[in-house]
Amino acid sequence: MFRLAYAIQGENKFLTLDRERATVGRQEGNDLVLDDHTVSRRHAEFVREQDGWMVRDLGSRNGVSVNGTRVKQRVLNPGDIITLGLFELKFEEELSERVRIAPSQTEIPVPSGTIIRSVDDIRGELEAARLAQATPGQDDEQLGRLARNSKILAVLADMSRTLISAKDLDEVLEKIMDVVMEHVQAQRGVLLLAGQRSGELEPKVVRQGDSSSETIQISQTIARKALCEGVAILTQDAQMDERFQAGMSIRMLGIRSALCVPLKLEEKVLGLIYVDTPLKVKAYGDFDLDLLSALAGFGAVAIRQAELRDKLQEERVAKLRLERYHSPAVVAQILSSGESSGAFSLEVREMNVSVLFADIVGFSTLSEDMAPREVALLLNDYFSRMADVIFKHDGTLDKFIGDAIMAVFGAPIEADDHAARAVACALGMREALREFNEGTLPGRPPLNFRIGINSGHVVAGDIGSVRRMEYSVLGNTVNLASRFQSEVAAPGQIAVGEATYQACKDQFQFEKLGKVKVKGITKPITAYEVKG
């Protein structure tokens, strides 16, 4: 199976080519929709032909290029970079199609034969060898074992230097297999990791020498034993080994010399490294088994460290993004709770919230006599003060709209008192505005604003295009909050709807404004002013 790989805001995404044809463009209805101004509405199509997959330009404005060359159509090879306008896609083969774990029909107890050793025992011997030194009186066998173990330790030292330069998990996995294939003479090799949720082995790196198109099939008999028991396996001729005779896949696959070792960290097996030489009997010895086991142990540590680094980087990016819209307390709660707990989600869903709009009165007229830089400085100071108040009441800063502010309470983390938080925030913003005006430069008129608040159901979540997603809320509740601000509230007033009033009428002072008619709503609605 082939796929198209691409990145949106630094996040890797894929389109699996599992049908005969797939179209790409900016218009809805394409198999892959790209919100990029350089991509045409129906830009290109990918078609499965007899010779393989082909990309074809559908008369786009900015054309199609493959590896930097403009084309009308072209048969693709794995690794090709396809550019639509300025947007890049990579054509690649899914590793799961190049590596298959063939099922075995039955399992039997393991008698003698093929070498199967505990990974912990191997590591214990190597640690003892690291501390040992040659002494007079040692026989040739002892000196030989000391020399072989010293060679393994030297390879590990080389591996540590290699892995230091790896920037992320993918690069760590690639470098681990580079070292494995350099020091273990194998025709083919695969590094597989166990899926975090499924536990199923997923191929991550494949090495095949010259036969890059050949599918590597691994016996489940061998893989399961290494994975479940945490043991290293060396089979010098799996065809003749009694302990694997029940695994029909071994005979069918023609497996002869193979090594399979677990990527074991403490008591947890992260995955497997498998190498083989299908056409050669007795290609490996116990030295190769010990060497690969040692490399796998070192690799497991590097994998876990890379996973932690990647996770920390993801959290840093997430925190920076969240801090733009949420208070530090809410950010901490989001990051500590995790989406899987159900405490919050950035996925689109229905929620009950309160929405606040605040708009400066007559700002266009006020800014006419100000230089652009002065306008920017004034708004930055004003927005910063208002954002601080919103965050103080655990609100979400949805967006700035010109000189207006939109804030949400009760999302993404649900809060039963969202209406009270919104009203308290509005009063706090009014006090902050008073302090702001007291510090205004002489000769500049004070600012004033109108605030509207409404409570009810909305659709909340990451909303936007494939290139830019932002957390926001949509729905009639939002529209009404905007109408309360623009059509009901007078300068300096805080106007709220019936739902907000009912939710917190015992906590604040209100004055009924009566029935009002607003744009887009056929029936008059009841509005209230927050007095204090």
Side-chain angles (χ1 to χ4, degrees):
M1 194 79 70
F2 291 89
R3 66 184 184 182
L4 298 174
Y6 57 101
I8 300 295
Q9 292 185 319
E11 181 181 355
N12 293 326
K13 295 180 177 293
F14 305 95
L15 173 67
T16 299
L17 299 172
D18 53 3
R19 293 183 291 175
E20 298 299 313
R21 184 185 305 269
T23 60
V24 180
R26 201 175 68 247
Q27 188 177 40
E28 291 293 334
N30 287 291
D31 297 284
L32 175 57
V33 179
L34 300 176
D35 186 17
D36 186 300
H37 70 281
T38 66
V39 175
S40 298
R41 287 178 294 177
R42 291 187 78 252
H43 198 110
E45 65 177 358
F46 293 81
V47 184
R48 195 201 310 266
E49 301 282 1
Q50 187 173 1
D51 296 333
W53 279 93
M54 174 180 290
V55 62
R56 182 177 294 129
D57 191 344
L58 295 178
S60 64
R61 183 178 68 254
N62 294 314
V64 175
S65 297
V66 177
N67 301 327
T69 302
R70 189 78 170 258
V71 299
K72 285 296 182 183
Q73 63 180 34
R74 171 76 64 84
V75 175
L76 298 172
N77 295 309
D80 282 349
I81 302 298
I82 304 100
T83 307
L84 312 183
L86 296 176
F87 197 94
E88 287 190 351
L89 304 162
K90 185 178 181 181
F91 180 72
E92 58 184 36
E93 186 177 12
E94 293 185 345
L95 284 179
S96 58
E97 293 299 308
R98 294 169 58 190
V99 180
R100 295 176 184 171
I101 301 180
S104 56
Q105 294 181 348
T106 58
E107 296 292 339
I108 60 172
V110 180
S112 59
T114 289
I115 300 174
I116 297 178
R117 298 191 60 195
S118 164
V119 171
D120 294 334
D121 290 345
I122 295 172
R123 293 179 187 175
E125 291 180 11
L126 289 175
E127 178 60 20
R130 186 181 67 83
L131 300 174
Q133 295 181 348
T135 58
Q138 289 180 318
D139 57 31
D140 291 343
E141 183 179 348
Q142 291 173 321
L143 291 174
R145 178 162 288 277
L146 186 61
R148 72 184 290 282
N149 289 341
S150 296
K151 183 178 179 180
I152 292 175
L153 293 173
V155 175
L156 290 179
D158 179 57
M159 186 180 192
S160 67
R161 289 189 292 269
T162 300
L163 293 178
I164 285 175
S165 62
K167 299 180 181 62
D168 53 28
L169 177 60
D170 290 340
E171 192 171 348
V172 165
L173 299 179
E174 292 285 349
K175 288 183 178 293
I176 289 173
M177 285 305 292
D178 287 343
V179 175
V180 167
M181 299 303 286
E182 178 183 354
H183 293 283
V184 179
Q185 301 304 310
Q187 293 178 348
R188 309 184 304 186
V190 185
L191 189 153
L192 308 98
L193 293 184
Q196 292 184 352
R197 294 184 180 179
S198 66
E200 296 293 324
L201 287 171
E202 302 172 3
K204 296 298 182 181
V205 184
V206 176
R207 294 283 191 270
Q208 291 177 273
D210 297 331
S211 56
S212 59
S213 61
E214 180 185 354
T215 299
I216 300 177
Q217 299 199 64
I218 302 172
S219 166
Q220 190 179 100
T221 306
I222 294 176
R224 185 187 301 164
K225 189 166 190 66
L227 185 68
C228 297
E229 299 182 21
V231 294
I233 300 174
L234 181 159
T235 174
Q236 294 176 332
D237 188 354
Q239 300 291 305
M240 304 299 295
D241 195 326
E242 290 181 356
R243 75 187 59 212
F244 296 124
Q245 284 182 6
M248 297 298 294
S249 61
I250 291 175
R251 294 200 296 273
M252 293 173 63
L253 302 177
I255 295 173
R256 290 194 176 274
S257 299
L259 292 169
C260 186
V261 300
L263 290 157
K264 187 177 180 183
L265 184 63
E266 297 177 348
E267 296 304 314
K268 184 176 182 180
V269 177
L270 308 181
L272 300 175
I273 295 178
Y274 173 92
V275 297
D276 69 13
T277 303
L279 303 179
K280 187 176 181 181
V281 177
K282 296 184 179 180
Y284 307 117
D286 61 349
F287 173 78
D288 299 291
L289 183 67
D290 289 358
L291 174 59
L292 187 57
S293 299
L295 291 175
F298 217 83
V301 175
I303 289 169
R304 176 53 53 85
Q305 290 176 338
E307 288 175 339
L308 292 174
R309 284 199 306 270
D310 289 356
K311 184 177 180 182
L312 286 173
Q313 178 61 22
E314 290 173 2
E315 289 183 353
R316 279 194 290 267
V317 172
K319 186 177 181 182
L320 288 172
R321 177 189 170 200
L322 292 169
E323 284 177 342
R324 295 171 57 193
Y325 307 106
H326 309 289
S327 69
V330 171
V331 171
Q333 189 174 350
I334 289 173
L335 294 178
S336 64
S337 63
E339 290 195 37
S340 60
S341 68
F344 90 106
S345 173
L346 299 182
E347 297 295 326
V348 176
R349 59 174 177 157
E350 288 190 7
M351 300 188 73
N352 195 27
V353 304
S354 290
V355 182
L356 178 152
F357 280 89
D359 190 24
I360 298 176
V361 178
F363 186 77
S364 298
T365 303
L366 174 67
S367 60
E368 282 181 355
D369 298 326
M370 299 172 61
R373 186 172 182 277
E374 288 183 287
V375 174
L377 290 173
L378 177 68
L379 282 178
N380 286 343
D381 188 8
Y382 165 77
F383 284 148
S384 296
R385 293 173 186 245
M386 297 303 121
D388 287 344
V389 179
I390 292 169
F391 291 161
K392 180 180 178 181
H393 294 85
D394 291 337
T396 295
L397 179 58
D398 189 292
K399 61 177 67 73
F400 298 123
I401 313 167
D403 57 289
I405 298 173
M406 175 182 169
V408 182
F409 299 83
I413 295 179
E414 295 177 356
D416 294 335
D417 61 344
H418 55 81
R421 290 176 185 269
V423 173
C425 178
L427 292 170
M429 291 172 69
R430 190 155 64 184
E431 177 61 23
L433 183 64
R434 183 189 63 78
E435 295 174 359
F436 175 83
N437 285 329
E438 288 177 355
T440 299
L441 295 174
R444 181 182 298 166
L447 298 183
N448 199 359
F449 58 25
R450 293 185 291 259
I451 294 180
I453 301 173
N454 193 37
S455 304
H457 288 285
V458 298
V459 174
D462 274 342
I463 297 170
S465 70
V466 293
R467 279 191 174 271
R468 183 178 177 85
M469 303 287 285
E470 289 188 350
Y471 190 85
S472 189
V473 295
L474 301 173
N476 193 51
T477 297
V478 181
N479 298 334
L480 270 178
S482 177
R483 297 288 184 263
F484 281 129
Q485 176 274 127
S486 61
E487 301 181 28
V488 178
Q493 277 189 333
I494 303 170
V496 306
E498 182 71 37
T500 306
Y501 167 74
Q502 291 295 339
C504 52
K505 61 183 178 182
D506 297 330
Q507 298 170 259
F508 302 93
Q509 299 172 17
F510 293 92
E511 181 177 304
K512 190 173 184 179
L513 298 175
K515 297 285 187 178
V516 294
K517 186 75 170 63
V518 296
K519 183 180 177 181
I521 304 297
T522 55
K523 296 181 180 180
I525 56 177
T526 303
Y528 300 83
E529 179 188 358
V530 180
K531 303 297 291 186

